[in-house]
Amino acid sequence: MAKKNLILDVDTGIDDAFALLFAARHPEINLLGVTCVDGNTNLKQVVINTLKVLDAAGAGDIPVSKGATRPLIDEPRYAEHIHGSDGLGDLGTPLSTRALDPRPAVELIRDLIEASSEPVTLVPLGPLTNIALFLRAFPETAAKLERIVLMGGSASSGNATPAAEFNVWHDPEAAAIVFSSGVPITMYGLDVFMEPRVNAAQAAALVAEGNTCSSFAGRLIEHFIKQVGHEVTLGDYGAVASAIKPELSTYETFKVVVDTTFGPGRGQTLCDRRAWKDDGDATHVNAPAVKVAMQVDVPAMINLWLETISGK
Ligand code: BDR
Ligand code: CA
């Protein structure tokens, strides 16, 4: 079976955990490495959480390294009201004994791409700070990437603000660098992010299976449901699913401009969806064309995740 080489960049985070568990366990994914970025919570906690999740997944020796402790320009702003004070549902999961890779995130990404004989897809699931720094530091290596499939942005509404999705809003300058890098981009954003959802019965079934991965995943879902009061999205996982099974989503290609101004639109991914264009200026004409996920096959995405997590 042909495996797909992925590097995940995460700000773990409950739904990053759903994505990591899946990436570490799916037989068609060769998870080359994981890099951590400040986002849902601070970098130190993101690293702790990421190592714990890899333990829960029963993952092998996958290199994990630390990246940026803050956005390029803005101060960090966390999302602990959603992800728990530890960013991982406050489940009291024991600390991991895994060792961190000593290389900074940008160097680990470079080394993994250079060492791979097969194409590599980068899957950022948090703010794009590490990815922007990597693109600027090692453009020749970046040019070898097959694609970047990122969770971020929106062709419709935002969540952090009416205009902006959290990951792009957290570091708009980094996002602008990534979107205009010339690397083929798939944006798995808020247009589809909330669609694949799991409920309390599915969480209970995972816990009842009793293996470490499924009960960890089930308890995370239960915490998340308690927090929001209804079924919850598998969120970032969808971007990983799209990276290996693009046929599970349908896409439209838009020219995208990231708003880096300091007004109410800061962090918006302004997608040119006009049917009739009467261009006042060339901003959008010259903008990068991005493949944007607009619909997902919800049952297929949920089943793929449940089967992979429960090992069925
Ligand atoms: C994104 O922000 C984080 O809270 C989630 O993990 C996801 O990556 C959604 O806006
Ligand atoms: Ca995330």
Side-chain angles (χ1 to χ4, degrees):
M1 172 200 314
K3 289 195 174 204
K4 189 118 183 142
N5 287 323
L6 301 187
I7 300 171
L8 263 57
D9 184 75
V10 296
D11 63 332
T12 322
I14 293 177
D15 60 312
D16 300 72
F18 297 154
L20 265 172
L21 291 172
F22 175 81
R25 287 176 71 91
H26 195 278
E28 288 167 38
I29 295 178
N30 190 15
L31 184 56
L32 298 178
V34 181
T35 52
C36 298
V37 66
D38 147 280
N40 283 320
T41 184
N42 66 79
L43 182 69
K44 195 170 169 220
Q45 192 65 52
V46 167
V47 169
I48 290 171
N49 294 348
T50 302
L51 299 179
K52 283 183 182 178
V53 175
L54 290 175
D55 281 351
D61 197 11
I62 295 166
V64 176
S65 76
K66 287 197 281 193
T69 54
R70 51 161 294 172
L72 296 181
I73 291 179
D74 285 332
E75 293 297 323
R77 294 160 293 190
Y78 301 126
E80 286 155 1
H81 51 294
I82 295 173
H83 298 267
S85 64
D86 71 348
L88 201 58
D90 296 319
L91 297 183
T93 321
L95 284 176
S96 174
T97 55
R98 284 169 191 264
L100 263 188
D101 191 285
R103 288 167 286 187
V106 293
E107 289 182 19
L108 179 63
I109 295 172
R110 176 202 56 193
D111 291 353
L112 292 172
I113 296 169
E114 292 294 349
S116 175
S117 53
E118 299 295 326
V120 176
T121 297
L122 200 48
V123 187
L125 304 176
L128 290 156
T129 321
N130 286 346
I131 311 305
L133 292 169
F134 160 71
L135 292 167
R136 284 290 193 255
F138 304 114
E140 294 85 6
T141 306
K144 297 179 184 171
L145 276 170
E146 181 174 21
R147 176 168 285 278
I148 295 175
V149 181
L150 61 90
M151 189 287 132
S154 170
S156 45
S157 171
N159 59 356
T161 74
E165 179 281 329
F166 177 84
N167 288 339
V168 176
W169 170 80
H170 194 88
D171 196 343
E173 283 72 22
I177 290 171
V178 172
F179 276 83
S180 61
S181 64
V183 178
I185 307 269
T186 300
M187 177 173 119
Y188 184 94
L190 293 183
D191 312 286
V192 285
F193 179 81
M194 298 300 289
E195 296 304 316
R197 290 187 292 269
V198 280
N199 57 36
Q202 287 161 323
L206 285 172
V207 173
E209 273 181 41
N211 73 63
T212 312
C213 180
S214 66
S215 43
F216 178 75
R219 286 169 62 225
L220 266 186
I221 297 169
E222 284 173 350
H223 163 86
F224 202 2
I225 289 176
K226 212 175 279 170
Q227 196 87 350
V228 297
H230 49 73
E231 56 179 19
V232 293
T233 178
L234 290 172
D236 287 345
Y237 148 72
V240 183
S242 290
I244 61 160
K245 296 196 182 292
E247 68 277 10
L248 294 185
S249 304
T250 53
Y251 308 86
E252 289 183 51
T253 299
F254 300 126
K255 300 254 180 164
V256 179
V257 171
V258 179
D259 187 341
T260 52
T261 63
F262 287 87
R266 183 163 172 77
Q268 181 175 16
T269 47
L270 193 50
C271 296
D272 191 351
R273 303 183 66 175
R274 291 173 294 176
W276 178 66
K277 302 179 191 190
D278 184 4
D279 264 316
D281 69 63
T283 310
H284 269 91
V285 176
N286 297 329
V290 174
K291 206 172 141 186
V292 180
M294 296 301 285
Q295 279 182 325
V296 287
D297 182 340
V298 171
M301 272 224 183
I302 296 170
N303 285 341
L304 178 66
W305 188 79
L306 289 172
E307 281 170 15
T308 306
I309 298 309
S310 62
K312 281 186 180 158

